[in-house]
Every structure is written in structure tokens, then in C-alpha cells.
Amino acid sequence: MLSQAIQDYLKAIYNLQKDNDTVSTTAIARELGISGASVTGMLKRLSTMRLVKYHSYKGVKLSKSGRKFALEIIRNHRLMELFLKEHMGFSLEKVHEEACRLEHYISNDFLERVDKLLGYPKFDPHGHPIPNKDGTLPLTSEIPLSDIDPGQDVTISRLSDSDFEMLAYFEKLGLMPNVNVSVIEKAPFNGPITINYGSDNQIIGNEIAKNIFVDMKD
């Protein structure tokens, strides 16, 4: 059983590692809110455990086994987020913090019962894909709402969860995954965007629209 600290590192590296790029010590320290020296010490330990590939001054990547463990932790986290939202009544902005507390301590049996209770979901309440038990991820194809031209109809697939206050704003407006949206108008020079969903028009800022990801309707 990996310690909570190791699990947190593996999850952080996975979330920061884009397109198989290396992740810097500085980025990990910022993500976890700890010192760079502490990160360096842990990365050396993880390298010894063969969970990462680490070279001083060049950054770090997850190894095959490190990625497997990271996806297991993320599966725990995202299933618990959905459980907390759907069955415990937590708001969208609160589920992350609570899931972070729970993800390290739930048993595999408990997790499988939650998965069954939820109907074997593919996505968490923010729209992030939930890893399967074999470590694979559902395929997604999405672009920011800010890139959609007026006159197009789209479906919200995912919300950025980097800002909890923004999540609360999305939930207040009803801009949630699986909601259908029509882009009515886009002001020039990265100005606000007018959208329609349900029976209402809503004006949102371009920066807000960049944090809403959508699938195109067929």
C-alpha cells in the first residue's frame, strides 16, 4: 500500500504531465504547496521505487507502474466526487476537497459497490473521464466554448475545476455537463459571448467560456 504522500505525488505528476512531457520540480511544488527541496527528495525516492523516471534539472515522468497507480488514485477520486454530488448532495465546488480526503482510505470492495450504485459512470461531475479498472480512459473530443462560432449547437462535456468559485458560478447558472447550448453571438476582440440554453439567453465572458469544454452535436 502506497503512503498518502506518495499517492498525492503520483496524482499531481499525472495531472501536470501533458502529452508525455516531463514535469518540473517547481510545478510539482506549486501544485502540492510544498518546498522544492521536499519535492526533490521525494522524487529521488519515487525513482528508487521505479514509480517515476527522474533526472536532476530535467524533470520527471511517471513510469509505467507509476502511471498505473496514479490512474487508480484518480479513479478513486473521481468516483467519490460523483458519489458525493449525486448521493450526498455536495455542491460542485465542494466535492473535490471531500474526495481528496476519502480517496486514500476506501477499499476496493467499497469502490466497486459505489461504481455499481452509480451505474458504472464514465465521467465525474465536472466531466473528467473516470479511468476504467484496467487503467484505460474513455475517449473524449472537446474544444473550449470560446472557440465555437455563432449559430452552432454544442453540448457541454467538461468544466475546468481549477477555480472553485468559478465552479460555483457554473452551477448557479446551470451550465453543467450534458447541457445543450447554442452560441448566439460573439463580441469582437475576445468580448463576451451570448449563449442560449433551456429557454434563456445568457451573456458570459470570454475567459469564462474558455473554461467550458464542449462536444459538437452530430
Side-chain angles (χ1 to χ4, degrees):
M1 181 68 179
L2 300 177
S3 70
Q4 179 175 337
I6 289 176
Q7 291 180 35
D8 286 340
Y9 268 86
L10 295 178
K11 185 173 72 170
I13 295 169
Y14 179 88
N15 288 332
L16 292 167
Q17 188 173 311
K18 306 297 183 184
D19 301 322
N20 205 34
D21 289 337
T22 56
V23 179
S24 70
T25 300
T26 302
I28 297 170
R30 187 185 307 113
E31 178 79 4
L32 295 176
I34 55 180
S35 70
S38 296
V39 172
T40 298
M42 177 59 86
L43 292 183
K44 290 178 179 179
R45 180 183 174 190
L46 295 179
S47 180
T48 300
M49 297 171 69
R50 298 187 177 182
L51 294 174
V52 302
K53 299 176 181 179
Y54 172 64
H55 301 282
S56 298
Y57 308 110
K58 292 184 179 180
V60 63
K61 289 183 180 181
L62 292 173
S63 66
K64 184 176 180 179
S65 60
R67 186 177 186 276
K68 176 179 178 293
F69 281 120
L71 286 169
E72 288 177 1
I73 300 159
I74 291 169
R75 173 176 165 80
N76 290 3
H77 182 91
R78 293 180 178 174
L79 279 171
M80 290 313 302
E81 283 190 328
L82 189 58
F83 176 75
L84 290 165
K85 181 73 172 65
E86 297 295 328
H87 290 274
M88 301 296 290
F90 279 81
S91 65
L92 198 61
E93 63 175 317
K94 297 294 186 182
V95 294
H96 175 77
E97 185 177 349
E98 291 294 332
C100 281
R101 295 190 182 101
L102 294 168
E103 65 190 27
H104 306 290
Y105 304 109
I106 55 178
S107 67
N108 287 334
D109 183 52
F110 180 84
L111 189 72
E112 294 314 309
R113 289 170 184 259
V114 167
D115 193 22
K116 182 179 180 179
L117 176 67
L118 294 171
Y120 306 104
K122 298 296 185 183
F123 300 92
D124 75 7
H126 307 101
H128 295 284
I130 298 172
N132 298 313
K133 287 189 287 185
D134 62 4
T136 59
L137 286 164
L139 295 176
T140 59
S141 178
E142 57 189 20
I143 60 175
L145 181 59
S146 55
D147 290 352
I148 299 298
D149 293 327
Q152 291 186 287
D153 297 328
V154 293
T155 301
I156 297 176
S157 58
R158 180 171 65 85
L159 304 173
S160 171
D161 59 359
S162 60
D163 187 318
F164 297 147
E165 290 184 1
M166 188 179 293
L167 281 175
Y169 180 68
F170 290 147
E171 190 164 29
K172 179 181 178 181
L173 293 180
L175 290 171
M176 302 286 285
N178 299 317
V179 168
N180 297 324
V181 174
S182 299
V183 178
I184 306 301
E185 184 179 4
K186 292 176 69 175
F189 309 111
N190 295 321
I193 299 172
T194 303
I195 59 175
N196 177 275
Y197 57 104
S199 58
D200 299 319
N201 281 3
Q202 179 72 43
I203 298 175
I204 60 174
N206 188 269
E207 285 302 314
I208 293 292
K210 288 180 180 179
N211 286 275
I212 300 173
F213 296 86
V214 300
D215 283 326
M216 301 291 291
K217 287 185 177 179
D218 295 332

